[in-house]
């Protein structure tokens, strides 16, 4: 059974940093699996933040976090990280990890319907 477990969220002041982790289990490392980070604020749609393939190729970032975020993978431990720097209040949201193991290459990396496995989320709150 595939499981994704996020951690690392919390409350920070604007300008601070957080590193979110997503531990995957129930499947072995696959370079073609796209791992994504999404977020959803109250009353808003879920939006893609960043994504990366298991082979560590070119990552994808939302324009809203470009230059402030980094995504990386530890393939030995099947863990994906999202480093967020210079956080702003607009970054406040529940952050979710997701995996596209079905190779839905026809869908955009930031399309939630592409991903078949989701974690429960970790809350990030940024105060001004």
């Amino acid at each position: 059974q595939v499981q994704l477990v996020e951690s690392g969220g919390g409350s920070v002041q604007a300008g601070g940093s957080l590193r979110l982790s997503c531990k995957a289990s129930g499947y072995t490392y696959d370079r073609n699996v796209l791992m994504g980070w999404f977020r959803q604020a109250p009353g808003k749609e879920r939006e893609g933040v960043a994504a990366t393939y298991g082979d560590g190729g070119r990552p994808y970032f939302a324009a809203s976090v470009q230059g402030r975020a980094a995504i990386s993978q530890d393939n030995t431990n099947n863990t994906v990280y999202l480093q967020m720097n210079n956080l702003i209040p607009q970054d406040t949201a529940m952050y979710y990890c997701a995996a596209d193991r079905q190779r839905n290459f026809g869908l955009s990396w930031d399309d939630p319907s592409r991903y078949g496995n989701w974690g429960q989320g970790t809350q990030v709150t940024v105060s001004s």
Side-chain angles (χ1 to χ4, degrees):
Q1 181 181 355
V2 176
Q3 279 193 317
L4 302 177
V5 180
E6 302 96 334
S7 61
S11 297
V12 297
Q13 290 192 326
S17 298
L18 282 174
R19 189 175 81 154
L20 308 182
S21 300
C22 171
K23 172 70 173 177
S25 61
Y27 69 94
T28 55
Y29 163 72
D30 184 335
R31 62 182 295 165
N32 292 311
V33 173
L34 182 66
M35 298 296 297
W37 282 97
F38 286 75
R39 65 186 181 187
Q40 188 166 20
K44 294 189 176 182
E45 292 187 354
R46 190 167 295 193
E47 64 168 345
V49 178
T52 184
Y53 281 101
D55 63 0
R58 183 180 70 91
Y60 303 93
F61 295 100
S64 58
V65 302
Q66 187 76 44
R68 301 190 296 118
I71 186 169
S72 60
Q73 290 204 58
D74 179 350
N75 296 324
T76 300
N77 294 312
N78 227 3
T79 301
V80 181
Y81 303 98
L82 179 67
Q83 176 72 39
M84 293 283 293
N85 302 317
N86 196 19
L87 286 160
I88 58 178
Q90 291 85 347
D91 293 322
T92 295
M94 184 71 78
Y95 282 69
Y96 298 91
C97 173
D100 170 23
R101 299 171 55 242
Q102 285 71 40
R103 306 187 184 187
N104 293 316
F105 298 136
L107 299 175
S108 177
W109 71 269
D110 58 352
D111 184 344
S113 65
R114 175 171 183 164
Y115 299 81
N117 299 106
W118 291 83
Q120 293 299 306
T122 185
Q123 177 68 37
V124 173
T125 302
V126 184
S127 58
S128 58

